[in-house]
Amino acid sequence: FFLRSHEKSSEAWGDTVFHTVIRRTVKFSDSTVAGEPITSYASASTGAAVRMIEDGCKAPAAVVVELATTDLARAQIENGYRSAGFDPAKAKFVTLPLTAQDYTSQVAQATDGTDCIYGGISDSNWLAFLPAMEATGAKQRLYGLQGNLNGKVAEQFPELTENGVVVNSYTDIVSDVWEDYRTALETYDAPDLDWNSLAGLGTWTAF
């Protein structure tokens, strides 16, 4: 259906139709029905896997936390690789204990022979993962979820997160669509938190 629609649109409007395809995942809305946060229900991102390949990653690694949905996460990531014409067998898949701790061994797995790392992990996991990565001198390009690979993480690890890619479920808070949200934050003197996050933007959307 999409391909037919895109062809018809291109015929009608020519070069004014963008060629970039933005993939939508139903897992975000499904997580609400399941009563779980997206980071545990579907910590992987098919779109992130595709983006890594489109960006030229030749030896990607995906890092997720150990949960009941780990197999689902792996399947999503591998499907993303396949849809981008990449063989999942050439990629690494590394799991982390849910509770942030010394991730030295997992970092060694994720950085050995890879060029890009996708982290379907929380900001606390990133903050435990990156010191070990920094200690190895690894320089892989990082990909992470909105609100998790965030400003707090980037501030502490500016070199490692430089040129990193954040996979968004929502547009950035500076977008026009969030004008009421920004106004509410100012009106009610909101505390200094990461309001440009999956939790913040998602809560406002639900409201």
Side-chain angles (χ1 to χ4, degrees):
F1 174 77
F2 164 75
L3 291 175
R4 291 198 303 272
S5 299
H6 188 267
E7 288 171 3
K8 292 291 185 183
S9 300
S10 297
E11 288 173 9
W13 292 291
D15 290 339
T16 60
V17 177
F18 289 104
H19 296 290
T20 300
V21 177
I22 301 175
R23 292 169 173 79
R24 178 184 180 273
T25 176
V26 298
K27 295 301 178 185
F28 186 73
S29 54
D30 286 352
S31 70
T32 304
V33 176
E36 289 188 49
I38 189 65
T39 49
S40 63
Y41 182 77
S43 60
S45 169
T46 301
V50 172
R51 175 63 187 269
M52 285 196 290
I53 304 309
E54 291 178 344
D55 284 349
C57 299
K58 303 297 184 187
V63 179
V64 302
V65 293
E66 294 173 357
L67 296 166
T69 55
T70 298
D71 288 342
L72 171 63
R74 183 168 195 149
Q76 283 185 275
I77 293 169
E78 291 182 349
N79 286 338
Y81 290 145
R82 289 189 190 97
S83 71
F86 183 80
D87 181 1
K90 297 180 180 179
K92 287 192 172 184
F93 188 84
V94 179
T95 58
L96 303 179
L98 178 59
T99 305
Q101 53 191 271
D102 181 2
Y103 289 142
T104 300
S105 63
Q106 290 86 357
V107 166
Q109 295 175 53
T111 57
D112 182 25
T114 62
D115 54 3
C116 300
I117 296 174
Y118 165 70
I121 56 180
S122 70
D123 56 353
S124 61
N125 295 127
W126 275 117
L127 290 171
F129 185 88
L130 292 180
M133 182 174 171
E134 188 174 53
T136 68
K139 300 293 184 183
Q140 282 80 356
R141 188 175 190 184
L142 301 180
Y143 294 72
L145 297 170
Q146 182 178 29
N148 295 342
L149 186 59
N150 56 25
K152 179 172 66 175
V153 174
E155 184 177 343
Q156 294 190 41
F157 300 95
E159 292 186 10
L160 287 178
T161 56
E162 186 175 357
N163 296 320
V165 176
V166 174
V167 182
N168 288 356
S169 296
Y170 298 105
T171 57
D172 193 273
I173 195 171
V174 300
S175 302
D176 291 343
V177 70
W178 302 112
E179 183 177 356
D180 289 347
Y181 179 40
R182 295 193 303 271
T183 300
L185 293 174
E186 293 176 9
T187 301
Y188 295 102
D189 194 24
D192 185 21
L193 300 174
D194 183 11
W195 297 105
N196 191 28
S197 64
L198 187 62
L201 298 172
T203 300
W204 182 259
T205 300
F207 173 77

